[in-house]
């Protein structure tokens, strides 16, 4: 399955804003996590992103790229805003399609999986005449992952663990819609690449931002180590040790010489 993944906005177009957040940053973070989960955990999943950094891409550039690549599915990631008074999750397919279309069937499956995990009010499955939905030649979905200017939704968006859950929800839906098979792991063992541990969350966020600038997806999570709270930067998790070693080498080449691998679930 060839997935064209489109983090909304970027560069000079920040998208919606609120609670100290910019839509372009949230959408890119979620999209990179979706790519990481899909390519690490599933067979025959190829992912292409409209952008992997904070750059501007026109709507036509996005759909033209997806169409020429021959994607099987177009997934656009967004956040909403409405004067701080609205909240919740909704998604859209092209308004020119019927409710019995393949695109609508995929929407129903993915919507159900995202709602299971995102802790947001369900605003329903909708349709619209958005460019990326209309001009893409493959089935397409645009997801609005909460209202960035609402207190509840915005506070969730600030959490890296929440963004990871949202990414996982999208992947769960894609896996069901396209009957993707999980890769065979090694007895449940997971190899995680740790690209830094910090007492300061700001320092951890800076490290994650640096890695993103190098094209390496990562996220920050809180961990209790020897009774103290630390913020760790994780730059990948793999069921295969060789794949983990390759990612570790890439992280070290980017300048993070003290990165290392942790092993969880060893028999």
């Amino acid at each position: 399955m060839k997935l064209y993944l489109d983090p909304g906005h970027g560069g000079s177009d920040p998208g919606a804003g609120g609670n100290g957040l910019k839509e372009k940053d949230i959408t890119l973070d979620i999209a990179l996590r979706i790519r990481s989960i899909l390519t690490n955990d599933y067979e025959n999943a190829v992912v292409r992103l409209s952008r992997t950094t904070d750059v501007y891409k026109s709507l036509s550039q996005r759909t033209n790229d997806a169409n020429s690549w021959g994607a099987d599915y177009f997934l656009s990631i967004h956040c909403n805003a409405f004067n701080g008074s609205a909240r919740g999750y909704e998604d859209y397919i092209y308004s020119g399609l019927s409710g019995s279309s393949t695109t609508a069937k995929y929407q129903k499956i993915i919507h159900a999986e995202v709602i299971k995990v995102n802790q947001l009010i369900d605003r329903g499955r909708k349709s619209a005449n958005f460019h990326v939905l209309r001009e893409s030649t493959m089935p397409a979905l645009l997801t609005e992952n909460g209202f960035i200017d609402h207190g509840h939704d915005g506070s969730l968006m600030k959490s890296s663990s929440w963004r990871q859950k949202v990414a996982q929800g999208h992947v769960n839906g894609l896996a069901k819609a396209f009957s993707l098979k999980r890769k065979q792991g090694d007895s449940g063992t997971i190899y995680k690449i740790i690209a830094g541990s910090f007492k300061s969350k700001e320092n951890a966020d800076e490290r994650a931002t640096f890695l993103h600038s190098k094209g390496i997806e990562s996220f920050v999570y809180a961990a209790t180590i020897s009774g103290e709270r630390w913020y760790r930067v994780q730059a990948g998790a793999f069921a295969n040790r060789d794949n983990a070693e390759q990612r570790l080498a890439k992280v070290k080449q980017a300048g993070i010489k003290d990165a290392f691998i942790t092993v969880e679930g060893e028999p």
Side-chain angles (χ1 to χ4, degrees):
M1 188 269 286
K2 294 173 68 175
L3 172 67
Y4 193 85
L5 192 52
D6 176 39
H9 307 281
S12 59
D13 172 20
N19 292 296
L21 302 169
K22 294 178 182 177
E23 181 181 3
K24 66 176 183 178
D25 299 327
I26 302 299
T27 61
L28 179 59
D29 186 83
I30 292 173
L32 289 171
R33 294 169 191 269
I34 291 173
R35 181 181 68 175
S36 178
I37 299 168
L38 264 180
T39 55
N40 291 341
D41 295 351
Y42 289 89
E43 297 177 357
N44 302 317
V46 183
V47 182
R48 183 178 183 127
L49 275 77
S50 60
R51 64 184 183 94
T52 57
T53 57
D54 183 20
V55 297
Y56 175 79
K57 290 288 182 71
S58 71
L59 296 177
S60 294
Q61 283 178 304
R62 298 168 196 248
T63 50
N64 289 345
D65 189 31
N67 294 342
S68 62
W69 185 52
D72 297 311
Y73 198 60
F74 189 107
L75 177 59
S76 192
I77 307 298
H78 286 258
C79 304
N80 236 324
F82 188 76
N83 298 327
S85 60
R87 60 188 291 197
Y89 169 85
E90 61 195 24
D91 47 44
Y92 292 85
I93 60 172
Y94 175 47
S95 54
L97 297 171
S98 73
S100 60
S101 64
T102 297
T103 300
K105 181 185 75 173
Y106 290 157
Q107 179 188 29
K108 185 176 181 180
I109 293 170
I110 295 171
H111 182 100
E113 293 300 318
V114 175
I115 279 294
K116 284 180 184 178
V117 300
N118 68 2
Q119 302 167 254
L120 297 173
I121 290 173
D122 186 354
R123 296 172 60 89
R125 305 191 307 273
K126 302 182 179 182
S127 61
N129 188 28
F130 297 146
H131 174 98
V132 295
L133 303 179
R134 183 184 65 248
E135 300 300 327
S136 50
T137 57
M138 68 293 301
L141 180 71
L142 185 148
T143 64
E144 293 278 8
N145 296 276
F147 282 73
I148 199 167
D149 58 349
H150 186 274
H152 172 268
D153 293 8
S155 65
L156 287 176
M157 291 180 197
K158 292 180 180 179
S159 166
S160 62
S161 62
W162 179 83
R163 298 192 299 272
Q164 186 73 10
K165 289 177 185 176
V166 169
Q168 186 68 63
H170 282 75
V171 170
N172 293 346
L174 290 165
K176 277 194 174 183
F178 290 92
S179 301
L180 300 179
K181 293 183 179 181
R182 293 187 67 92
K183 292 179 179 178
Q184 295 299 312
D186 301 327
S187 305
T189 302
I190 298 295
Y191 302 94
K192 296 182 177 180
I193 292 79
I194 305 302
S197 296
F198 302 87
K199 294 293 289 183
S200 162
K201 186 174 185 302
E202 289 75 14
N203 291 342
D205 288 338
E206 285 181 10
R207 174 64 56 84
T209 299
F210 171 77
L211 288 168
H212 285 163
S213 74
K214 298 295 184 181
I216 302 171
E217 62 268 17
S218 63
F219 67 96
V220 176
Y221 69 95
T224 301
I225 304 171
S226 301
E228 293 188 318
R229 188 178 184 85
W230 291 80
Y231 295 95
R232 276 189 157 178
V233 182
Q234 183 174 311
F238 301 86
N240 180 282
R241 178 87 194 198
D242 290 341
N243 291 341
E245 293 286 0
Q246 290 175 17
R247 175 59 58 81
L248 178 63
K250 185 176 181 181
V251 170
K252 289 189 173 183
Q253 286 170 7
I256 314 300
K257 302 302 183 184
D258 57 348
F260 61 93
I261 293 174
T262 64
V263 183
E264 296 185 4
E266 272 190 317

